[in-house]
Amino acid sequence: MTGGDAILRALEAEGVEVIFGLPGGAIMPTYDAMARGTTVRHVLARHEQGAGHMAQGYARASGRVGVAIATSGPGATNLVTPIADAWMDSTPLVCITGQVRSTLIGTDAFQECDITGITMPIVKHSWLVQDGRELPSVLRAAFHVARTGRCGPVLVDIPRDVQEAVVDVSFPGELDLPGWRPPTKVHPLQIRDAGRAVAQARKPVLYVGGGTLNGDACAELLELAEAGSLPVVTTLMGKGAFPESHELHFGWPGMHGPKWSNLAINSCDVLVAIGARFDDRVTGKLSAFAPGATVVHLDADAAEISKLRTADIPVVGSLHTAVGALAREVERHRAEGTPPPDAWLEQLRDWREEFPLRYDTGGEWLKPQTVVETLQRLTAGQDVIVTTGVGQHQMWAMQYVSSERPRSFITSGGLGTMGYGIPAAIGAKAARPEATVVCVDGDGCFQMTAQELVTAALEDLPIVVVLVNNGYLGMVTQWQDMFYDGRRSHVHLTNALPDYAKLAEAYGGVGMVVTDESELEPALAEALTLGRTVVVDCRVDPAEQCFPMVPSGAAAIDMIEYGDTLEVKAS
């Protein structure tokens, strides 16, 4: 068969159902093979960056490997941002790129670029395939590497002549990768020590990151928390790993986390990090983070252990296995009479009551928090996936959207990619067509990938975009107001240009404009029931800022709360 056919047969053998891409010269032989027939659905994006983020959204919503495909040169470089995003957030992604003919590599041929070299720092592994007979084994290895150990992106670059060549191929049974042996088991002595420390702690906290979702350890996390009566704090990337209505859930840590969450994590005596990496947006000033706490760190990636905060008790291995084993060990200690931390839980409940999330509901403007709270109220108890862009609206979504199920909240954390929300929502819809998929987006983010709305319309992948439109690059504006003496530099977008509702209609969707709170609930309720791609343009208060906030470089407990703004400006 041709190399292009071999690629498709290899994807089918991996159980791939959907891929996201855009054709071009160097990948045309593979697209020609698609025309001859395949069971794999292809979703035609309008930009390769959109295709990459769609593949990410698909992976995050389904737990499977996402696949993006692009041509050489600019097609491949347009995938760099999704690849970097997937690297930072440990999203399993296989990117297949066309390359110029083998004889032209290194000659600066039309649309040639060294994409394996460009992406080397941001992939788990990459391959430049030079023999069509190797395609099945390379693609088998690519999927295996992407989804095992700490998940992440891989790249397979395939010259055009390799795709065109007719070769005899065989599809591997067992995979033999001597250099890739991610840990699957955990050391029983590590679990024993961790279990004793956790069970005997008077002020324990489970600090849960996105690795818990990637490691399929959410059920085990619930078992651990309930077995030990252990409070759970989930990061932005870990949101949804633990049901947020559960009595043991105590919010989200970090720069815009509630004060009670940051007090919990910075006052504990035993901090159990599960699939979390002590990111600067969580810790603030690292030397002041969780002072005096014994750190138990569970992670699939040994490189994360003690990278930023020394782990007193490291546990390396599959989180599904490790968290389950720790739950059983803690349960054993409780059965033997080690008491639960009842006084600590009462303290956390008191802090939550004393320091609630607050904002001013008065004034002539619609408040962005009201928009997200209304969305939450209308979708509570339903099968809903929420994606976001990056900025103030992302933080308000973290604070006011209650995530009860794993893989129901999808956002860009590590890289902070503006424009992520819309294509990620489309990918999530492809993975979960039965779910309602809502993108909470900002007007700045929206304009970066809005063209993908036509993909949602034509591919019958309807999404609802709730546009938190304040007419500014909101987070940058907030920083300029707070830390640059109010000198606003190039952040004003205007909230009327473009006309977002008409733009939605031009792209084949439905557009709505909300300027008053009385219009909000009816508009959102209609958008959620139309079954079409809808943009609800919510014109919100341009002066509203996102609180609480930990200033960059400050300790996580040195939070600025709502009402402290004038004092901060004066200082």
Side-chain angles (χ1 to χ4, degrees):
M1 64 178 70
T2 68
D5 287 311
I7 292 168
L8 296 179
R9 300 296 86 77
L11 294 179
E12 292 164 357
E14 291 294 330
V16 174
E17 297 177 352
V18 187
I19 61 176
F20 306 87
L22 199 65
I27 198 68
M28 281 176 64
T30 298
Y31 274 83
D32 186 54
M34 293 182 201
R36 292 195 294 272
T38 177
T39 61
V40 178
R41 177 185 180 182
H42 179 276
V43 173
L44 178 62
R46 265 52 188 176
H47 190 282
E48 291 88 357
Q49 181 184 353
H53 293 322
M54 289 176 201
Q56 286 184 275
Y58 180 92
R60 296 272 296 280
S62 67
R64 304 174 68 183
V65 177
V67 182
I69 184 167
T71 192
S72 63
T77 57
N78 284 340
L79 281 177
V80 169
T81 296
I83 291 171
D85 194 282
W87 172 257
M88 292 287 281
D89 288 344
S90 303
T91 302
L93 194 65
V94 170
C95 291
I96 299 171
T97 53
Q99 182 56 274
V100 299
R101 297 182 183 279
S102 302
T103 54
L104 294 176
I105 292 176
T107 68
D108 294 332
F110 178 67
Q111 291 194 333
E112 179 194 359
C113 77
D114 179 9
I115 194 61
T116 55
I118 289 170
T119 59
M120 186 175 292
I122 52 171
V123 294
K124 293 180 72 175
H125 197 68
S126 59
W127 293 260
L128 173 61
V129 182
Q130 300 181 66
D131 186 336
R133 291 170 295 184
E134 297 176 356
L135 284 166
S137 60
V138 165
L139 285 165
R140 178 77 186 276
F143 278 85
H144 179 73
V145 170
R147 66 181 166 229
T148 54
R150 180 177 180 173
C151 298
V154 298
L155 176 80
V156 182
D157 196 30
I158 309 171
R160 179 168 179 159
D161 55 308
V162 174
Q163 299 169 56
E164 292 172 332
V166 177
V167 293
D168 293 326
V169 296
S170 59
F171 291 83
E174 294 297 318
L175 188 65
D176 183 27
L177 291 176
W180 179 244
R181 293 284 187 270
T184 56
K185 300 178 180 179
V186 293
H187 199 290
L189 295 182
Q190 292 177 328
I191 293 296
R192 184 195 66 186
D193 292 346
R196 182 190 305 113
V198 173
Q200 294 178 355
R202 294 297 84 214
K203 298 190 293 182
V205 167
L206 303 183
Y207 156 43
V208 176
T212 310
L213 291 159
N214 287 337
D216 193 24
C218 298
E220 290 72 21
L221 171 64
L222 180 61
E223 180 186 349
L224 171 61
E226 292 183 338
S229 296
L230 305 173
V232 177
V233 173
T234 48
T235 68
L236 177 67
M237 294 306 300
K239 189 173 171 69
F242 191 83
E244 295 185 352
S245 62
H246 197 286
E247 63 178 358
L248 291 172
H249 186 263
F250 287 93
W252 321 271
M255 181 170 280
H256 291 284
K259 188 169 185 176
W260 76 79
S261 306
N262 281 310
L263 284 172
I265 209 166
N266 284 280
S267 304
C268 67
D269 60 359
V270 174
L271 181 65
V272 186
I274 303 175
R277 58 186 182 86
F278 295 89
D279 177 75
D280 63 287
R281 281 297 198 262
V282 168
T283 65
K285 184 178 181 182
L286 184 62
S287 61
F289 181 70
T294 297
V295 173
V296 179
H297 194 169
L298 288 71
D299 209 287
D301 183 4
E304 285 297 334
I305 303 294
S306 298
K307 183 178 82 173
L308 293 170
R309 174 66 182 262
T310 300
D312 300 289
I313 304 175
V315 180
V316 179
S318 159
L319 290 184
H320 178 83
T321 302
V323 178
L326 181 58
R328 291 186 291 274
E329 186 69 12
V330 170
E331 185 176 33
R332 182 180 67 80
H333 280 279
R334 290 283 185 264
E336 292 175 355
T338 306
D342 293 332
W344 173 235
L345 292 171
E346 186 61 34
Q347 173 67 81
L348 297 183
R349 287 189 284 266
D350 289 345
W351 281 337
R352 182 162 55 189
E353 186 174 340
E354 182 181 356
F355 304 111
L357 294 170
R358 294 179 294 138
Y359 65 95
D360 185 0
T361 56
E364 60 178 294
W365 284 94
L366 176 64
K367 295 295 183 178
Q369 299 95 326
T370 302
V371 172
V372 182
E373 284 189 298
T374 304
L375 173 66
Q376 168 58 31
R377 186 170 66 253
L378 290 173
T379 57
Q382 300 179 28
D383 186 6
V384 174
I385 296 172
V386 173
T387 72
T388 80
V390 170
Q392 288 176 317
H393 68 277
Q394 178 189 32
M395 297 297 99
W396 285 315
M398 178 190 75
Q399 293 172 345
Y400 293 103
V401 170
S402 181
S403 298
E404 300 301 312
R405 293 178 298 278
R407 305 191 179 280
S408 61
F409 189 89
I410 299 172
T411 192
S412 171
L415 197 64
T417 305
M418 293 178 67
Y420 177 90
I422 289 174
I426 295 169
K429 185 67 175 178
R432 295 277 319 285
E434 73 282 4
T436 299
V437 180
V438 179
C439 171
V440 177
D441 217 0
D443 44 327
C445 291
F446 179 93
Q447 294 185 66
M448 294 190 175
T449 50
Q451 73 275 2
E452 301 304 344
L453 291 174
V454 76
T455 303
L458 292 179
E459 296 282 351
D460 193 23
L461 296 170
I463 63 172
V464 175
V465 180
V466 178
L467 188 63
V468 182
N469 177 9
N470 63 6
Y472 284 84
L473 295 171
M475 191 63 84
V476 180
T477 302
Q478 178 169 337
W479 280 56
Q480 289 179 349
D481 284 352
M482 295 178 68
F483 308 119
Y484 292 87
D485 297 324
R487 292 186 299 275
R488 294 187 175 184
S489 179
H490 303 289
V491 290
H492 189 207
L493 301 175
T494 79
N495 60 14
L497 286 176
D499 185 321
Y500 295 100
K502 288 182 179 178
L503 189 63
E505 293 170 2
Y507 280 134
V510 176
M512 303 178 185
V513 179
V514 173
T515 59
D516 185 83
E517 189 171 344
S518 64
E519 303 168 343
L520 178 61
E521 185 165 334
L524 289 180
E526 182 181 359
L528 291 165
T529 56
L530 278 177
R532 294 182 61 189
T533 292
V534 184
V535 175
V536 185
D537 177 7
C538 301
R539 307 282 177 89
V540 301
D541 188 350
E544 190 68 18
Q545 296 183 333
C546 186
F547 292 106
M549 181 179 182
V550 178
S552 180
I557 57 172
D558 294 333
M559 305 198 74
I560 303 169
E561 295 187 86
Y562 175 81
D564 296 339
T565 317
L566 292 177
E567 180 182 339
V568 172
K569 285 183 178 177
S571 64

